[in-house]
Amino acid sequence: MISFTSARSKNVVAAAAGAVVAGACTMAATPADAGPARSPYAQAAALVVSNGTLLQAKGIAGVSKPSAGVYCITFTDSRVEAQEITPVATIATGPDTPWGTVVHLATDPTESCGRADNTVTAFTGSAEGLRDNAFYITVP
């Protein structure tokens, strides 16, 4: 546990934490705002944070998040056909990631993503059910 000896220290930490939260809440979930993903041999790659925001992206047109633990991923290149690819994903672990959290991918149209064509659906969660969690996805 962190302990502070002065009120000034507490105020500085509270202000810094508020700035971080405010910054996280104002991030747009668009690929234009995302930094490039360093995957020179991949057709597409991304780091998707738990709220659906892209932090790094290559070849990803967008990510929508219709419900908890569900992410709908579309691609910039129309030649990347969801039903013809073999995407790979892994959970991006952090201090709030519970043990046993997994990510599953569906390349066929799903009800969760409105049966949209050419969309990969990512499901994150655990045995307890769907839960928002950051993950990496790569399309080799």
Side-chain angles (χ1 to χ4, degrees):
M1 179 169 175
I2 299 173
S3 133
F4 299 98
T5 57
S6 73
R8 186 175 185 329
S9 296
K10 290 178 188 174
N11 291 340
V12 169
V13 170
V20 168
V21 170
C25 293
T26 59
M27 288 180 147
T30 61
D33 295 335
R38 294 184 183 171
S39 297
Y41 303 108
Q43 296 178 73
L47 167 56
V48 181
V49 295
S50 60
N51 67 3
T53 300
L54 291 166
L55 287 187
Q56 299 172 353
K58 171 188 176 181
I60 304 290
V63 175
S64 62
K65 190 178 169 313
S67 60
V70 178
Y71 305 85
C72 307
I73 304 160
T74 56
F75 305 97
T76 57
D77 188 343
S78 62
R79 296 173 295 177
V80 177
E81 296 180 29
Q83 294 179 325
E84 302 296 324
I85 60 175
T86 308
V88 179
T90 189
I91 290 294
T93 58
D96 296 331
T97 306
W99 187 256
T101 301
V102 296
V103 57
H104 294 278
L105 300 175
T107 56
D108 289 328
T110 63
E111 290 295 327
S112 299
C113 289
R115 295 228 159 265
D117 285 332
N118 215 24
T119 299
V120 170
T121 307
F123 300 96
T124 61
S126 65
E128 288 79 38
L130 293 171
R131 178 182 187 275
D132 294 344
N133 206 95
F135 62 95
Y136 296 94
I137 182 169
T138 300
V139 178

